[in-house]
PDB file of all heavy atoms in Angstrom:
ATOM      1  N   ARG Y   8     -10.427   2.901  19.314  1.00  0.00           N
ATOM      2  CA  ARG Y   8     -11.494   2.036  19.826  1.00  0.00           C
ATOM      3  C   ARG Y   8     -12.202   1.276  18.702  1.00  0.00           C
ATOM      4  O   ARG Y   8     -13.233   0.658  18.933  1.00  0.00           O
ATOM      5  CB  ARG Y   8     -12.504   2.860  20.625  1.00  0.00           C
ATOM      6  CG  ARG Y   8     -11.914   3.470  21.888  1.00  0.00           C
ATOM      7  CD  ARG Y   8     -12.973   4.180  22.714  1.00  0.00           C
ATOM      8  NE  ARG Y   8     -14.007   3.255  23.194  1.00  0.00           N
ATOM      9  CZ  ARG Y   8     -15.055   3.623  23.915  1.00  0.00           C
ATOM     10  NH1 ARG Y   8     -15.212   4.906  24.228  1.00  0.00           N
ATOM     11  NH2 ARG Y   8     -15.945   2.738  24.307  1.00  0.00           N
ATOM     12  N   GLY Y   9     -11.623   1.333  17.509  1.00  0.00           N
ATOM     13  CA  GLY Y   9     -12.133   0.519  16.418  1.00  0.00           C
ATOM     14  C   GLY Y   9     -13.033   1.219  15.432  1.00  0.00           C
ATOM     15  O   GLY Y   9     -13.509   0.576  14.487  1.00  0.00           O
ATOM     16  N   GLU Y  10     -13.290   2.505  15.602  1.00  0.00           N
ATOM     17  CA  GLU Y  10     -14.142   3.197  14.643  1.00  0.00           C
ATOM     18  C   GLU Y  10     -13.368   3.427  13.337  1.00  0.00           C
ATOM     19  O   GLU Y  10     -12.162   3.691  13.348  1.00  0.00           O
ATOM     20  CB  GLU Y  10     -14.653   4.512  15.217  1.00  0.00           C
ATOM     21  CG  GLU Y  10     -15.630   4.302  16.349  1.00  0.00           C
ATOM     22  CD  GLU Y  10     -16.361   5.574  16.743  1.00  0.00           C
ATOM     23  OE1 GLU Y  10     -15.763   6.662  16.667  1.00  0.00           O
ATOM     24  OE2 GLU Y  10     -17.542   5.458  17.135  1.00  0.00           O
ATOM     25  N   ARG Y  11     -14.101   3.351  12.234  1.00  0.00           N
ATOM     26  CA  ARG Y  11     -13.481   3.465  10.909  1.00  0.00           C
ATOM     27  C   ARG Y  11     -14.268   4.440  10.030  1.00  0.00           C
ATOM     28  O   ARG Y  11     -14.569   4.170   8.888  1.00  0.00           O
ATOM     29  CB  ARG Y  11     -13.387   2.075  10.254  1.00  0.00           C
ATOM     30  CG  ARG Y  11     -12.445   1.106  10.961  1.00  0.00           C
ATOM     31  CD  ARG Y  11     -11.016   1.624  10.957  1.00  0.00           C
ATOM     32  NE  ARG Y  11     -10.057   0.727  11.591  1.00  0.00           N
ATOM     33  CZ  ARG Y  11      -9.633   0.845  12.846  1.00  0.00           C
ATOM     34  NH1 ARG Y  11     -10.114   1.816  13.628  1.00  0.00           N
ATOM     35  NH2 ARG Y  11      -8.746   0.008  13.343  1.00  0.00           N
ATOM     36  N   GLY Y  12     -14.569   5.597  10.598  1.00  0.00           N
ATOM     37  CA  GLY Y  12     -15.319   6.615   9.893  1.00  0.00           C
ATOM     38  C   GLY Y  12     -16.675   6.827  10.536  1.00  0.00           C
ATOM     39  O   GLY Y  12     -17.207   5.960  11.240  1.00  0.00           O
ATOM     40  N   THR Y  13     -17.255   8.004  10.275  1.00  0.00           N
ATOM     41  CA  THR Y  13     -18.553   8.343  10.856  1.00  0.00           C
ATOM     42  C   THR Y  13     -19.572   8.780   9.810  1.00  0.00           C
ATOM     43  O   THR Y  13     -20.697   9.131  10.161  1.00  0.00           O
ATOM     44  CB  THR Y  13     -18.393   9.491  11.876  1.00  0.00           C
ATOM     45  OG1 THR Y  13     -17.841  10.643  11.214  1.00  0.00           O
ATOM     46  CG2 THR Y  13     -17.492   9.086  13.032  1.00  0.00           C
ATOM     47  N   ALA Y  14     -19.205   8.745   8.531  1.00  0.00           N
ATOM     48  CA  ALA Y  14     -20.070   9.330   7.501  1.00  0.00           C
ATOM     49  C   ALA Y  14     -21.423   8.647   7.393  1.00  0.00           C
ATOM     50  O   ALA Y  14     -22.411   9.281   7.020  1.00  0.00           O
ATOM     51  CB  ALA Y  14     -19.366   9.301   6.145  1.00  0.00           C
ATOM     52  N   CYS Y  15     -21.501   7.351   7.712  1.00  0.00           N
ATOM     53  CA  CYS Y  15     -22.771   6.635   7.557  1.00  0.00           C
ATOM     54  C   CYS Y  15     -23.561   6.543   8.855  1.00  0.00           C
ATOM     55  O   CYS Y  15     -24.627   5.912   8.888  1.00  0.00           O
ATOM     56  CB  CYS Y  15     -22.531   5.233   6.996  1.00  0.00           C
ATOM     57  SG  CYS Y  15     -21.926   4.017   8.193  1.00  0.00           S
ATOM     58  N   LEU Y  16     -23.064   7.158   9.929  1.00  0.00           N
ATOM     59  CA  LEU Y  16     -23.643   6.930  11.248  1.00  0.00           C
ATOM     60  C   LEU Y  16     -24.662   8.003  11.625  1.00  0.00           C
ATOM     61  O   LEU Y  16     -24.293   9.166  11.866  1.00  0.00           O
ATOM     62  CB  LEU Y  16     -22.534   6.874  12.304  1.00  0.00           C
ATOM     63  CG  LEU Y  16     -21.460   5.800  12.088  1.00  0.00           C
ATOM     64  CD1 LEU Y  16     -20.431   5.859  13.207  1.00  0.00           C
ATOM     65  CD2 LEU Y  16     -22.090   4.408  11.990  1.00  0.00           C
ATOM     66  N   PRO Y  17     -25.943   7.659  11.710  1.00  0.00           N
ATOM     67  CA  PRO Y  17     -26.951   8.632  12.147  1.00  0.00           C
ATOM     68  C   PRO Y  17     -26.639   9.144  13.546  1.00  0.00           C
ATOM     69  O   PRO Y  17     -26.179   8.396  14.417  1.00  0.00           O
ATOM     70  CB  PRO Y  17     -28.253   7.816  12.130  1.00  0.00           C
ATOM     71  CG  PRO Y  17     -27.990   6.678  11.196  1.00  0.00           C
ATOM     72  CD  PRO Y  17     -26.534   6.349  11.372  1.00  0.00           C
ATOM     73  N   GLY Y  18     -26.863  10.423  13.736  1.00  0.00           N
ATOM     74  CA  GLY Y  18     -26.607  11.036  15.026  1.00  0.00           C
ATOM     75  C   GLY Y  18     -25.200  11.557  15.212  1.00  0.00           C
ATOM     76  O   GLY Y  18     -24.917  12.216  16.221  1.00  0.00           O
ATOM     77  N   ARG Y  19     -24.320  11.282  14.251  1.00  0.00           N
ATOM     78  CA  ARG Y  19     -22.935  11.737  14.351  1.00  0.00           C
ATOM     79  C   ARG Y  19     -22.627  12.820  13.319  1.00  0.00           C
ATOM     80  O   ARG Y  19     -21.461  13.108  13.038  1.00  0.00           O
ATOM     81  CB  ARG Y  19     -21.987  10.545  14.155  1.00  0.00           C
ATOM     82  CG  ARG Y  19     -22.196   9.366  15.094  1.00  0.00           C
ATOM     83  CD  ARG Y  19     -21.574   9.577  16.446  1.00  0.00           C
ATOM     84  NE  ARG Y  19     -20.139   9.621  16.407  1.00  0.00           N
ATOM     85  CZ  ARG Y  19     -19.341   8.537  16.485  1.00  0.00           C
ATOM     86  NH1 ARG Y  19     -19.877   7.323  16.593  1.00  0.00           N
ATOM     87  NH2 ARG Y  19     -18.029   8.675  16.476  1.00  0.00           N
ATOM     88  N   GLU Y  20     -23.670  13.424  12.743  1.00  0.00           N
ATOM     89  CA  GLU Y  20     -23.462  14.381  11.650  1.00  0.00           C
ATOM     90  C   GLU Y  20     -22.620  15.582  12.072  1.00  0.00           C
ATOM     91  O   GLU Y  20     -21.736  16.025  11.329  1.00  0.00           O
ATOM     92  CB  GLU Y  20     -24.814  14.858  11.099  1.00  0.00           C
ATOM     93  CG  GLU Y  20     -25.595  13.795  10.353  1.00  0.00           C
ATOM     94  CD  GLU Y  20     -26.477  12.937  11.246  1.00  0.00           C
ATOM     95  OE1 GLU Y  20     -26.369  13.069  12.505  1.00  0.00           O
ATOM     96  OE2 GLU Y  20     -27.287  12.160  10.725  1.00  0.00           O
ATOM     97  N   SER Y  21     -22.864  16.119  13.239  1.00  0.00           N
ATOM     98  CA  SER Y  21     -22.102  17.286  13.691  1.00  0.00           C
ATOM     99  C   SER Y  21     -20.631  16.942  13.856  1.00  0.00           C
ATOM    100  O   SER Y  21     -19.746  17.727  13.482  1.00  0.00           O
ATOM    101  CB  SER Y  21     -22.670  17.819  15.010  1.00  0.00           C
ATOM    102  OG  SER Y  21     -23.977  18.322  14.831  1.00  0.00           O
ATOM    103  N   GLU Y  22     -20.358  15.779  14.421  1.00  0.00           N
ATOM    104  CA  GLU Y  22     -18.972  15.335  14.585  1.00  0.00           C
ATOM    105  C   GLU Y  22     -18.310  15.153  13.222  1.00  0.00           C
ATOM    106  O   GLU Y  22     -17.150  15.547  13.023  1.00  0.00           O
ATOM    107  CB  GLU Y  22     -18.947  14.022  15.361  1.00  0.00           C
ATOM    108  CG  GLU Y  22     -17.554  13.444  15.540  1.00  0.00           C
ATOM    109  CD  GLU Y  22     -17.574  12.079  16.213  1.00  0.00           C
ATOM    110  OE1 GLU Y  22     -18.648  11.673  16.717  1.00  0.00           O
ATOM    111  OE2 GLU Y  22     -16.524  11.421  16.227  1.00  0.00           O
ATOM    112  N   PHE Y  23     -19.045  14.549  12.279  1.00  0.00           N
ATOM    113  CA  PHE Y  23     -18.490  14.363  10.943  1.00  0.00           C
ATOM    114  C   PHE Y  23     -18.126  15.712  10.318  1.00  0.00           C
ATOM    115  O   PHE Y  23     -17.040  15.885   9.757  1.00  0.00           O
ATOM    116  CB  PHE Y  23     -19.494  13.633  10.047  1.00  0.00           C
ATOM    117  CG  PHE Y  23     -19.080  13.603   8.606  1.00  0.00           C
ATOM    118  CD1 PHE Y  23     -18.186  12.657   8.152  1.00  0.00           C
ATOM    119  CD2 PHE Y  23     -19.573  14.544   7.709  1.00  0.00           C
ATOM    120  CE1 PHE Y  23     -17.778  12.638   6.820  1.00  0.00           C
ATOM    121  CE2 PHE Y  23     -19.173  14.545   6.380  1.00  0.00           C
ATOM    122  CZ  PHE Y  23     -18.271  13.584   5.933  1.00  0.00           C
ATOM    123  N   ARG Y  24     -19.024  16.670  10.413  1.00  0.00           N
ATOM    124  CA  ARG Y  24     -18.796  17.967   9.769  1.00  0.00           C
ATOM    125  C   ARG Y  24     -17.653  18.721  10.426  1.00  0.00           C
ATOM    126  O   ARG Y  24     -16.820  19.326   9.736  1.00  0.00           O
ATOM    127  CB  ARG Y  24     -20.092  18.784   9.782  1.00  0.00           C
ATOM    128  CG  ARG Y  24     -21.178  18.138   8.934  1.00  0.00           C
ATOM    129  CD  ARG Y  24     -22.441  18.974   8.843  1.00  0.00           C
ATOM    130  NE  ARG Y  24     -23.419  18.305   7.969  1.00  0.00           N
ATOM    131  CZ  ARG Y  24     -24.440  18.902   7.406  1.00  0.00           C
ATOM    132  NH1 ARG Y  24     -24.651  20.201   7.601  1.00  0.00           N
ATOM    133  NH2 ARG Y  24     -25.271  18.230   6.627  1.00  0.00           N
ATOM    134  N   GLU Y  25     -17.586  18.672  11.733  1.00  0.00           N
ATOM    135  CA  GLU Y  25     -16.483  19.332  12.431  1.00  0.00           C
ATOM    136  C   GLU Y  25     -15.145  18.719  12.009  1.00  0.00           C
ATOM    137  O   GLU Y  25     -14.163  19.429  11.757  1.00  0.00           O
ATOM    138  CB  GLU Y  25     -16.677  19.201  13.941  1.00  0.00           C
ATOM    139  CG  GLU Y  25     -15.580  19.855  14.764  1.00  0.00           C
ATOM    140  CD  GLU Y  25     -15.818  19.700  16.259  1.00  0.00           C
ATOM    141  OE1 GLU Y  25     -16.943  19.330  16.657  1.00  0.00           O
ATOM    142  OE2 GLU Y  25     -14.877  19.941  17.028  1.00  0.00           O
ATOM    143  N   GLY Y  26     -15.119  17.383  11.925  1.00  0.00           N
ATOM    144  CA  GLY Y  26     -13.894  16.711  11.521  1.00  0.00           C
ATOM    145  C   GLY Y  26     -13.499  17.021  10.095  1.00  0.00           C
ATOM    146  O   GLY Y  26     -12.316  17.214   9.787  1.00  0.00           O
ATOM    147  N   PHE Y  27     -14.483  17.099   9.224  1.00  0.00           N
ATOM    148  CA  PHE Y  27     -14.152  17.377   7.824  1.00  0.00           C
ATOM    149  C   PHE Y  27     -13.624  18.793   7.658  1.00  0.00           C
ATOM    150  O   PHE Y  27     -12.704  19.023   6.861  1.00  0.00           O
ATOM    151  CB  PHE Y  27     -15.356  17.143   6.920  1.00  0.00           C
ATOM    152  CG  PHE Y  27     -14.987  17.221   5.466  1.00  0.00           C
ATOM    153  CD1 PHE Y  27     -14.361  16.155   4.847  1.00  0.00           C
ATOM    154  CD2 PHE Y  27     -15.225  18.369   4.733  1.00  0.00           C
ATOM    155  CE1 PHE Y  27     -13.979  16.230   3.517  1.00  0.00           C
ATOM    156  CE2 PHE Y  27     -14.854  18.458   3.409  1.00  0.00           C
ATOM    157  CZ  PHE Y  27     -14.226  17.380   2.790  1.00  0.00           C
ATOM    158  N   LEU Y  28     -14.173  19.741   8.385  1.00  0.00           N
ATOM    159  CA  LEU Y  28     -13.660  21.113   8.311  1.00  0.00           C
ATOM    160  C   LEU Y  28     -12.214  21.166   8.811  1.00  0.00           C
ATOM    161  O   LEU Y  28     -11.389  21.927   8.275  1.00  0.00           O
ATOM    162  CB  LEU Y  28     -14.545  22.053   9.112  1.00  0.00           C
ATOM    163  CG  LEU Y  28     -15.953  22.274   8.540  1.00  0.00           C
ATOM    164  CD1 LEU Y  28     -16.774  23.160   9.480  1.00  0.00           C
ATOM    165  CD2 LEU Y  28     -15.905  22.883   7.136  1.00  0.00           C
ATOM    166  N   ARG Y  29     -11.903  20.363   9.798  1.00  0.00           N
ATOM    167  CA  ARG Y  29     -10.510  20.287  10.261  1.00  0.00           C
ATOM    168  C   ARG Y  29      -9.621  19.700   9.161  1.00  0.00           C
ATOM    169  O   ARG Y  29      -8.496  20.171   8.944  1.00  0.00           O
ATOM    170  CB  ARG Y  29     -10.426  19.430  11.528  1.00  0.00           C
ATOM    171  CG  ARG Y  29      -9.056  19.431  12.178  1.00  0.00           C
ATOM    172  CD  ARG Y  29      -9.027  18.550  13.402  1.00  0.00           C
ATOM    173  NE  ARG Y  29      -7.726  18.586  14.058  1.00  0.00           N
ATOM    174  CZ  ARG Y  29      -7.267  17.642  14.873  1.00  0.00           C
ATOM    175  NH1 ARG Y  29      -8.030  16.583  15.144  1.00  0.00           N
ATOM    176  NH2 ARG Y  29      -6.075  17.737  15.430  1.00  0.00           N
ATOM    177  N   ALA Y  30     -10.123  18.697   8.465  1.00  0.00           N
ATOM    178  CA  ALA Y  30      -9.362  18.115   7.359  1.00  0.00           C
ATOM    179  C   ALA Y  30      -9.100  19.151   6.271  1.00  0.00           C
ATOM    180  O   ALA Y  30      -8.010  19.203   5.690  1.00  0.00           O
ATOM    181  CB  ALA Y  30     -10.109  16.913   6.783  1.00  0.00           C
ATOM    182  N   LEU Y  31     -10.073  19.981   5.996  1.00  0.00           N
ATOM    183  CA  LEU Y  31      -9.886  21.026   4.984  1.00  0.00           C
ATOM    184  C   LEU Y  31      -8.793  22.012   5.395  1.00  0.00           C
ATOM    185  O   LEU Y  31      -8.039  22.510   4.549  1.00  0.00           O
ATOM    186  CB  LEU Y  31     -11.196  21.765   4.733  1.00  0.00           C
ATOM    187  CG  LEU Y  31     -12.226  21.065   3.846  1.00  0.00           C
ATOM    188  CD1 LEU Y  31     -13.498  21.913   3.764  1.00  0.00           C
ATOM    189  CD2 LEU Y  31     -11.671  20.803   2.444  1.00  0.00           C
ATOM    190  N   GLU Y  32      -8.702  22.310   6.684  1.00  0.00           N
ATOM    191  CA  GLU Y  32      -7.645  23.198   7.152  1.00  0.00           C
ATOM    192  C   GLU Y  32      -6.272  22.582   6.894  1.00  0.00           C
ATOM    193  O   GLU Y  32      -5.347  23.265   6.432  1.00  0.00           O
ATOM    194  CB  GLU Y  32      -7.822  23.472   8.647  1.00  0.00           C
ATOM    195  CG  GLU Y  32      -9.062  24.294   8.983  1.00  0.00           C
ATOM    196  CD  GLU Y  32      -9.268  24.447  10.472  1.00  0.00           C
ATOM    197  OE1 GLU Y  32      -8.484  23.844  11.240  1.00  0.00           O
ATOM    198  OE2 GLU Y  32     -10.201  25.161  10.876  1.00  0.00           O
ATOM    199  N   TYR Y  33      -6.129  21.288   7.176  1.00  0.00           N
ATOM    200  CA  TYR Y  33      -4.866  20.613   6.903  1.00  0.00           C
ATOM    201  C   TYR Y  33      -4.600  20.541   5.400  1.00  0.00           C
ATOM    202  O   TYR Y  33      -3.453  20.712   4.951  1.00  0.00           O
ATOM    203  CB  TYR Y  33      -4.869  19.208   7.510  1.00  0.00           C
ATOM    204  CG  TYR Y  33      -4.339  19.159   8.917  1.00  0.00           C
ATOM    205  CD1 TYR Y  33      -5.151  19.468  10.002  1.00  0.00           C
ATOM    206  CD2 TYR Y  33      -3.028  18.800   9.170  1.00  0.00           C
ATOM    207  CE1 TYR Y  33      -4.666  19.430  11.299  1.00  0.00           C
ATOM    208  CE2 TYR Y  33      -2.525  18.745  10.469  1.00  0.00           C
ATOM    209  CZ  TYR Y  33      -3.351  19.067  11.530  1.00  0.00           C
ATOM    210  OH  TYR Y  33      -2.856  19.032  12.811  1.00  0.00           O
ATOM    211  N   ALA Y  34      -5.626  20.284   4.615  1.00  0.00           N
ATOM    212  CA  ALA Y  34      -5.449  20.209   3.165  1.00  0.00           C
ATOM    213  C   ALA Y  34      -4.937  21.533   2.604  1.00  0.00           C
ATOM    214  O   ALA Y  34      -4.092  21.561   1.701  1.00  0.00           O
ATOM    215  CB  ALA Y  34      -6.754  19.813   2.496  1.00  0.00           C
TER     216      ALA Y  34
END
């Protein structure tokens, strides 16, 4: 839908953190 990251978006902090923890699992 055109999103290109959430790190700068207020109100999306929980989503950002959940996604990053998933990235760490893949890493």
Side-chain angles (χ1 to χ4, degrees):
R8 295 185 63 181
E10 291 192 326
R11 294 298 181 263
T13 59
C15 78
L16 302 180
R19 304 280 293 273
E20 291 87 352
S21 294
E22 178 185 350
F23 171 82
R24 295 184 178 199
E25 180 180 346
F27 189 78
L28 292 176
R29 187 181 182 202
L31 282 177
E32 293 175 356
Y33 270 83

